[in-house]
Amino acid sequence: MYRFVIVLVAVVALPGTWANSAGAPDVACKDLVPQHKVDPQSTQAPYSYVLPQKRTVTPGESIQVTVRGNSKTDTIKGFLVQARLNGDTTPIGTFSTLPGQPTQNLNCGTETNALTHKTITTNVEEISFKYTVPTNAKKGEKFQFFSTVAIDGYHFWVRIPSDTFTVA
């Protein structure tokens, strides 16, 4: 009887442990799916971007970006972000962590071209970071940010798009 109870408790508790509390795995680089062993949410994400007002950037320019919940209850327990040219799945540019933010770089083929979370133990309502446009970006290229945000190990939204930026 006790073995059955232990096995049942382990099976019920496992999905929560499948979440990646120390950051997204590299296998999430291409499709931004965090491998939580449950399907992503199909509803509109309760998260949005706080972006600079200007949507035109120059090669090598750095901008600060914030991803935040749309309400106080839309906290962040997991996070992955990349910038991609429109219509492409390859991450571009580089990300830098900001002081006090629970973030770390993730190597998705090139060092620092993605950003993910560290272990988050408190309720985080927003995550901010610095993004640097590639120095070899061509005039007229358009890119946007795509993020995956998890409120917990069972509920997450994949490839949340930002507004588009254009290289001047």
Side-chain angles (χ1 to χ4, degrees):
M1 173 66 171
Y2 289 115
R3 282 189 199 147
F4 175 73
V5 171
I6 290 170
V7 169
L8 182 61
V9 169
V11 168
V12 169
L14 270 177
T17 64
W18 284 330
N20 300 298
S21 63
D26 342 7
V27 296
C29 286
K30 186 161 180 95
D31 61 7
L32 299 177
V33 176
Q35 311 303 308
H36 286 194
K37 308 294 186 206
V38 294
D39 291 333
Q41 299 299 299
S42 58
T43 57
Q44 183 168 342
Y47 300 94
S48 55
Y49 294 88
V50 178
L51 302 166
Q53 284 191 338
K54 68 178 190 126
R55 297 292 189 270
T56 303
V57 294
T58 57
E61 181 178 353
S62 293
I63 59 174
Q64 183 169 319
V65 176
T66 299
V67 175
R68 68 174 177 200
N70 293 339
S71 76
K72 293 259 185 222
T73 59
D74 299 323
T75 58
I76 300 171
K77 281 289 190 186
F79 173 77
L80 172 60
V81 66
Q82 295 176 349
R84 297 176 173 186
L85 292 174
N86 286 1
D88 200 345
T89 60
T90 304
I92 62 164
T94 57
F95 290 87
S96 302
T97 62
L98 294 175
Q101 294 294 302
T103 57
Q104 61 188 342
N105 287 105
L106 178 64
N107 181 342
C108 286
T110 304
E111 196 171 326
T112 70
N113 66 351
L115 198 70
T116 188
H117 63 281
K118 293 181 182 179
T119 301
I120 298 175
T121 57
T122 60
N123 286 337
V124 173
E125 294 175 15
E126 63 181 36
I127 292 181
S128 297
F129 52 88
K130 184 172 90 170
Y131 173 75
T132 303
V133 179
T135 55
N136 64 347
K138 296 177 179 67
K139 183 177 183 173
E141 284 184 322
K142 295 183 183 300
F143 71 90
Q144 60 191 136
F145 297 101
F146 289 93
S147 62
T148 292
V149 180
I151 198 165
D152 58 38
Y154 303 97
H155 303 94
F156 58 93
W157 291 262
V158 176
R159 292 182 296 279
I160 304 166
S162 73
D163 289 344
T164 301
F165 287 82
T166 303
V167 178

